[in-house]
Amino acid sequence: MKKIVFVDFDETLYTHDSMLVFTRTYFGKGRYFFGMVILSPILLGYLLRLVSPTKAKTTWLRFFFGGMPKDKLASIGRQFALHEIDKALNRSLFDSLKKEQEYATICIVTASAKEWLEAWTEQQQFDLIATHLEYKNNKLTGNLHGKNCNAEEKVRRIQAVYDLAQYDCIEVHGYGRGDLPMHGLAKTVQQDE
């Protein structure tokens, strides 16, 4: 039996929002909380669903990382991935995935950026489908290159990478509302741990 497992990252496999933890880890609590205050109108709008996830994300990225050289973001992202992610994993889900990896393909499908996840997924030998960031002149603009990998975009990207008809079993782990469309691909759905 050929099996594939699609797993959301933030607040499913990882117990927090990785973009926020990555930002706080790099800039420190002072600058992080200063940014939270400055960006509070956008963040409040996002929480009230008045601001789209993409608008909130690009505003955050532009404020904290806009203009950062691509190689610097890659370097700090790699450090975060290899030294911080393991500290906040959903251990029971992670352990289950590592056991399933013996006979299944594991793919992380996330709205987070590959810049701070890719080194970890490579280390774990998991596939990764993530949001792409935009660079101009090798500097981060704060915009996304393409769409935010969330909700229906997760499904579209999965279908662009995998021929799902080749799998006898498709399992999905995703606990957020942005994961609901991805559940429609599954032949087995895991919503609760």
Side-chain angles (χ1 to χ4, degrees):
M1 177 171 75
K2 194 168 179 186
K3 180 176 182 178
I4 191 162
V5 182
F6 296 112
V7 186
D8 174 55
F9 191 74
D10 291 339
E11 300 179 20
T12 299
L13 181 56
Y14 189 70
T15 59
H16 305 294
D17 182 314
S18 63
M19 182 175 73
L20 301 183
V21 179
F22 173 61
T23 304
R24 188 177 66 231
T25 301
Y26 179 69
F27 288 105
K29 289 181 182 177
R31 180 143 180 222
Y32 173 80
F33 287 113
F34 174 74
M36 293 280 273
V37 170
I38 297 299
L39 299 175
S40 62
I42 293 289
L43 299 176
L44 182 60
Y46 168 71
L47 291 173
L48 296 172
R49 297 185 186 180
L50 301 172
V51 172
S52 74
T54 300
K55 174 70 173 168
K57 179 179 285 185
T58 56
T59 301
W60 183 273
L61 289 168
R62 202 171 296 115
F63 180 84
F64 282 105
F65 299 100
M68 183 177 280
K70 185 175 186 175
D71 59 345
K72 179 170 179 129
L73 186 59
S75 175
I76 65 173
R78 180 173 179 72
Q79 289 300 309
F80 175 80
L82 297 178
H83 300 288
E84 299 297 327
I85 287 176
D86 282 342
K87 296 176 184 177
L89 287 175
N90 172 337
R91 275 287 153 201
S92 62
L93 178 56
F94 177 74
D95 292 345
S96 170
L97 294 172
K98 290 308 280 185
K99 287 176 188 169
E100 286 189 270
Q101 191 173 27
E102 294 175 23
Y103 56 88
T105 299
I106 310 295
C107 180
I108 306 302
V109 186
T110 180
S112 283
K114 70 180 182 78
E115 280 77 356
W116 57 85
L117 297 180
E118 189 170 52
W120 183 83
T121 58
E122 287 175 355
Q123 181 184 61
Q124 301 306 323
Q125 297 180 330
F126 293 163
D127 293 350
L128 176 64
I129 297 175
T131 295
H132 298 280
L133 304 181
E134 178 187 81
Y135 295 91
K136 287 192 179 169
N137 300 318
N138 281 320
K139 292 186 179 179
L140 184 69
T141 65
N143 295 323
L144 306 183
H145 180 73
K147 292 183 178 181
N148 193 17
C149 187
N150 193 26
E152 291 79 14
E153 183 64 11
K154 286 185 174 188
V155 171
R156 191 192 70 71
R157 296 225 192 148
I158 288 168
Q159 291 172 332
V161 174
Y162 297 99
D163 178 2
L164 298 179
Q166 300 299 311
Y167 294 92
D168 302 305
C169 182
I170 301 169
E171 187 175 302
V172 174
H173 296 265
Y175 307 154
R177 70 178 182 260
D179 301 316
L180 294 176
M182 191 167 63
H183 290 182
L185 299 175
K187 295 178 184 170
T188 301
V189 177
Q190 300 294 327
Q191 295 181 354
D192 300 288
E193 275 300 306

